Amino acid sequence: MKNVIIVGATGATGNQLMQQLLNDVTIENIYVVHYRPTQFQHLKKVTEIILDLANFDDLAIAVDTTMNSAAEIDCAYCCLGTTRKKAGSLAAFRQVDKDYIVNFGTWVANHTKAQLHVISAVGANAKSASSYLQTKGETEQLLRQLPLSALYLYQPTLLHGKRDEFRLIEAIAYYPLAIISLLPFTLLKQQKPIAIEQLANAIYQLSQQVTSGHHVISSLEIQQY
């Protein structure tokens, strides 16, 4: 039986991924780390850990009483992500999409032998003129430097699907990108909007593999799920 840990479980992709983890009979424990109580807290397989996401050093996983040791984590999922508008400032956005993610990745590297699966973005580049893509690129660079057993970086293009919030820019961009992606060019096909369910399914399916090293999952690959 497996133990997994997830941050960002209440977001659109995290919520979809949680449904698959909850239905997976091979998973015994799901550790949900969040800064406040979630809708998953009363579910049988879930152990909820309330934590200031700036302080992952304080994260401690429950002890396995049969082995008198900390429960071994097999897989770690990071579905954290926000927008500059929702965060309130560029600094606050970078704290969530860079600092919190790297903090979690550092904890995973230092305390487990787990795979780490992280949602990034197509075009992530530390030298990008876009603050969004620059932040994503810097985050990827820092994660690659960690001694993780396996790192999966997912680079979807525009995500679409049910959200708790309405994102105007995403709604406006959806149809032009969907039309452009129909053209017979790989670069343009990669711009096809990704359903949130597709991304969650890609993360879940790929996390079933036993691998090592770094893996970048492109938007084109995510489309296959």
Side-chain angles (χ1 to χ4, degrees):
M1 298 292 281
K2 297 185 294 186
N3 300 312
V4 303
I5 187 168
I6 179 171
V7 292
T10 63
T13 305
N15 187 60
Q16 289 289 333
L17 178 58
M18 274 295 293
Q19 304 311 312
Q20 300 208 48
L21 299 178
L22 289 166
N23 290 331
D24 187 336
V25 296
T26 69
I27 294 177
E28 183 174 16
N29 296 299
I30 304 172
Y31 296 94
V32 175
V33 181
H34 204 57
Y35 65 94
R36 63 183 179 187
T38 73
Q39 69 269 33
F40 306 112
Q41 62 180 313
H42 301 300
L43 298 180
K44 185 177 179 180
K45 292 201 294 187
V46 171
T47 298
E48 190 171 81
I49 302 171
I50 306 301
L51 184 76
D52 178 351
L53 300 185
N55 297 308
F56 273 102
D57 285 344
D58 297 334
L59 176 57
I61 297 299
V63 169
D64 181 344
T65 55
T66 62
M67 301 293 290
N68 197 29
S69 62
E72 181 65 33
I73 302 298
D74 299 286
C75 199
Y77 303 96
C78 185
C79 299
L80 289 174
T82 187
T83 62
R84 183 171 177 173
K85 179 179 180 182
K86 186 175 181 179
S89 68
L90 176 59
F93 162 72
R94 286 174 62 83
Q95 183 179 46
V96 174
D97 277 51
K98 179 183 175 182
D99 297 345
Y100 289 175
I101 293 173
V102 174
N103 288 349
F104 179 59
T106 301
W107 182 90
V108 172
N110 290 340
H111 296 87
T112 80
K113 296 179 181 179
Q115 298 179 2
L116 176 62
H117 296 257
V118 179
I119 300 173
S120 183
V122 66
N125 187 332
K127 296 181 179 180
S128 175
S130 162
S131 58
Y132 177 82
L133 295 179
Q134 181 187 75
T135 299
K136 295 294 187 183
E138 291 174 355
T139 302
E140 288 193 3
Q141 282 187 349
L142 291 169
L143 291 172
R144 290 175 187 275
Q145 295 171 16
L146 297 174
L148 293 157
S149 65
L151 172 65
Y152 284 77
L153 297 167
Y154 297 82
Q155 296 185 340
T157 182
L158 180 75
L159 292 174
H160 70 94
K162 185 178 180 181
R163 291 186 184 274
D164 291 335
E165 60 179 325
F166 177 71
R167 295 186 179 181
L168 179 61
I169 294 177
E170 289 184 2
I172 293 173
Y174 173 78
Y175 289 105
L177 287 176
I179 293 171
I180 288 174
S181 68
L182 295 175
L183 297 174
F185 302 101
T186 300
L187 184 62
L188 296 180
K189 286 182 178 295
Q190 183 166 282
Q191 301 307 312
K192 182 180 180 180
I194 299 291
I196 291 169
E197 293 86 350
Q198 277 183 303
L199 176 56
N201 192 42
I203 296 171
Y204 173 74
Q205 294 293 341
L206 289 172
S207 70
Q208 306 306 300
Q209 302 178 9
V210 179
T211 58
S212 60
H214 297 165
H215 308 266
V216 176
I217 313 304
S218 71
S219 192
L220 276 175
E221 291 176 89
I222 296 170
Q223 290 176 29
Q224 306 308 310
Y225 293 86

